[in-house]
């Protein structure tokens, strides 16, 4: 009885195994198809993800190239504008030079003051008993040399004062922008609170905006009245930021740092060249000091230089050679930063 039960159980087990094998044989193609379908779906999804990643990367590269081209075009345009305005920086007309010096004078009034200056210098020489030739030379020097030297002196002093205050003004603009204040309001703050001549230059920017110019265009016009590279740098930074975007506070902060570094470099170069300048001043003044001492000790010995034609020729030649030497020494000890 027990042996027959074991036979039945074995038969049932074999039958179940046969049924399972038959079912697997029948369902195997379907299972394999589903497995292949899953693999293909996974492969398609992976390919789609890779395609999207490649497309995103390609879009980023295209956007970077487009932005780079925009910046290059902006720089080229700014370079062309800067070249067209370079004449106002190196050799400006008299009207622009008066504006750059901060003098509220018309050209006609400047010429009137020049004639008056020439007459005053000639009158002083006439009282001193100078000859007619010296009177004519004094009038020319007083009418054409002295007024233009004064305008150039005022111009250089105004540029120096502007460069002393510009980094501080840029720092104020950076803090204002970082605190959420618009750039226009920051510029108005500088135009109302900063000392001259920064105050006057930024006030011109505000007035140009009121006449219809945009802020970058108004900034780019600043070198017309303030002929220094630092003013051009500021206008170029504002122009590039308006066209290409970016962090304005960071750009202005970097510009402020660059201006301070340029100022430190100028001071360092001036300190290093001070010995050469002192030597040049001593060498240049030595002939006049020796001539004055010889005149005090032996006037009859040196007076032929001023009373004879040969002495006049010697003085002219000596003056030309001294002028050449002073010019060469000036070129050797002056550096542009």
């Amino acid at each position: 009885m027990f042996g027959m039960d074991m036979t039945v159980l074995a038969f049932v087990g074999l039958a179940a195994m046969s049924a399972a094998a038959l079912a697997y044989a029948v369902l195997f193609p379907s299972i394999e198809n589903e497995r292949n379908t899953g693999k293909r779906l996974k492969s398609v999804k992976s390919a789609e993800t890779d395609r999207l990643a490649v497309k995103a990367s390609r879009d980023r590269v295209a956007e970077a190239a487009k932005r780079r081209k925009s910046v290059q075009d902006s720089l080229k345009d700014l370079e062309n504008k800067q070249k067209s305005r370079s004449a106002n920086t190196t050799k400006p007309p008299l009207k622009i030079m008066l504006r750059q010096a901060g003098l509220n004078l018309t050209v006609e009034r400047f010429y009137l003051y020049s004639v008056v200056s020439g007459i005053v210098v000639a009158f002083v020489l006439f009282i001193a008993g100078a000859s007619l030739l010296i009177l004519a030379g004094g009038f020319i020097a007083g009418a054409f040399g002295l007024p233009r030297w004064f305008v150039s002196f005022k111009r250089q002093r105004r540029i120096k004062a502007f460069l002393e205050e510009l980094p501080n003004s840029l720092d104020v603009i950076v803090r204002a922008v970082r605190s959420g204040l618009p750039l226009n309001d920051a510029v108005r703050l500088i135009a109302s609170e900063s000392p001259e001549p920064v105050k006057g230059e930024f006030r011109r920017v505000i007035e140009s905006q009121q006449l219809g110019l945009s802020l970058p265009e108004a900034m780019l016009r600043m070198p017309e009245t303030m002929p220094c590279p630092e003013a051009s740098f500021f206008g170029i930074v504002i122009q590039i930021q308006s066209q290409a975007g970016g962090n304005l506070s960071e750009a202005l902060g970097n510009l402020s740092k660059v201006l301070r570094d340029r100022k430190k470099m100028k001071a360092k170069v001036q300190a290093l060249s001070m010995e050469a300048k002192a030597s040049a001043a001593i060498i240049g003044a030595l002939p006049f000091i020796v001539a004055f001492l010889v005149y005090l000790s032996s006037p009859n010995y040196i007076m032929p230089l001023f009373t004879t034609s040969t002495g006049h020729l010697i003085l002219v030649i000596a003056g030309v050679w001294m002028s050449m030497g002073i010019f060469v020494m000036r070129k050797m000890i002056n550096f542009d930063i």
Side-chain angles (χ1 to χ4, degrees):
M1 186 69 180
F2 179 76
M4 187 171 56
D5 292 338
M6 290 297 294
T7 304
V8 172
L9 290 175
F11 180 77
V12 171
L14 290 174
M17 291 177 61
S18 300
L22 181 61
Y24 180 78
V26 173
L27 297 177
F28 178 76
S30 177
I31 296 173
E32 188 67 20
N33 290 335
E34 289 182 359
R35 186 181 301 170
N36 292 334
T37 302
K39 290 182 179 179
R40 287 196 298 269
L41 182 60
K42 185 177 180 180
S43 177
V44 169
K45 288 182 178 180
S46 177
E48 182 69 18
T49 303
D50 294 340
R51 188 179 67 83
L52 292 176
V54 171
K55 182 180 179 182
S57 177
R58 190 184 300 115
D59 291 340
R60 286 195 298 269
V61 172
E63 182 67 24
K66 182 178 179 182
R67 185 172 179 179
R68 191 182 303 111
K69 186 177 183 302
S70 176
V71 172
Q72 290 176 353
D73 294 339
S74 300
L75 289 174
K76 188 179 294 184
D77 185 35
L78 292 173
E79 184 180 1
N80 293 331
K81 290 181 180 179
Q82 190 67 23
K83 286 181 179 179
S84 64
R85 293 169 180 167
S86 60
N88 293 336
T89 303
T90 55
K91 295 181 180 179
L94 180 60
K95 183 178 180 180
I96 296 178
M97 196 169 181
L98 291 174
R99 291 181 60 192
Q100 293 173 352
L103 300 175
N104 295 323
L105 291 177
T106 61
V107 178
E108 293 80 7
R109 187 175 293 274
F110 174 79
Y111 284 136
L112 178 62
Y113 289 161
S114 299
V115 173
V116 172
S117 175
I119 293 174
V120 170
V121 172
F123 181 73
V124 171
L125 293 176
F126 176 75
I127 294 177
S131 62
L132 186 61
L133 182 61
I134 296 178
L135 289 178
F139 176 79
I140 293 174
F144 296 99
L146 187 61
R148 290 183 178 271
W149 174 84
F150 176 75
V151 172
S152 178
F153 171 75
K154 291 281 291 183
R155 179 172 176 258
Q156 293 298 326
R157 191 170 69 172
R158 186 168 180 267
I159 294 174
K160 184 178 179 180
F162 179 82
L163 296 180
E164 288 288 336
E165 187 60 30
L166 182 60
N168 298 329
S169 301
L170 291 180
D171 291 339
V172 172
I173 294 177
V174 169
R175 296 189 186 97
V177 171
R178 287 178 179 174
S179 63
L181 197 67
L183 180 59
N184 289 334
D185 294 341
V187 171
R188 289 189 177 90
L189 179 64
I190 299 300
S192 60
E193 299 296 335
S194 294
E196 292 290 349
V198 175
K199 180 178 181 179
E201 293 299 323
F202 278 82
R203 187 183 295 119
R204 285 193 181 94
V205 172
I206 299 300
E207 292 173 355
S208 299
Q209 282 187 283
Q210 294 174 353
L211 294 176
L213 292 178
S214 63
L215 181 60
E217 292 176 348
M219 289 295 184
L220 287 175
R221 295 181 63 182
M222 186 181 292
E224 294 179 1
T225 54
M226 185 54 64
C228 59
E230 288 77 1
S232 301
F233 295 161
F234 182 49
I236 289 172
V237 168
I238 298 298
Q239 178 75 9
I240 292 177
Q241 193 276 335
S242 65
Q243 293 184 0
N247 193 339
L248 178 60
S249 61
E250 182 180 358
L252 293 179
N254 293 334
L255 177 60
S256 176
K257 184 177 182 299
V258 169
L259 297 185
R260 293 183 188 278
D261 291 340
R262 283 171 59 87
K263 181 180 176 182
K264 292 179 182 178
M265 183 61 68
K266 288 181 180 179
K268 185 176 181 180
V269 169
Q270 185 176 5
L272 293 175
S273 62
M274 189 57 66
E275 182 179 357
K277 291 181 180 179
S279 301
I282 294 173
I283 294 173
L286 191 60
F288 300 98
I289 296 174
V290 171
F292 180 71
L293 294 177
V294 171
Y295 175 78
L296 292 179
S297 60
S298 303
N300 295 329
Y301 179 77
I302 199 172
M303 284 306 296
L305 284 176
F306 305 100
T307 58
T308 62
S309 58
T310 305
H312 293 165
L313 179 61
I314 294 174
L315 288 176
V316 170
I317 295 174
V320 171
W321 280 106
M322 277 201 62
S323 300
M324 293 174 60
I326 292 173
F327 176 77
V328 171
M329 286 189 293
R330 179 179 175 82
K331 287 293 184 182
M332 291 175 63
I333 61 180
N334 283 339
F335 304 93
D336 292 331
I337 304 299

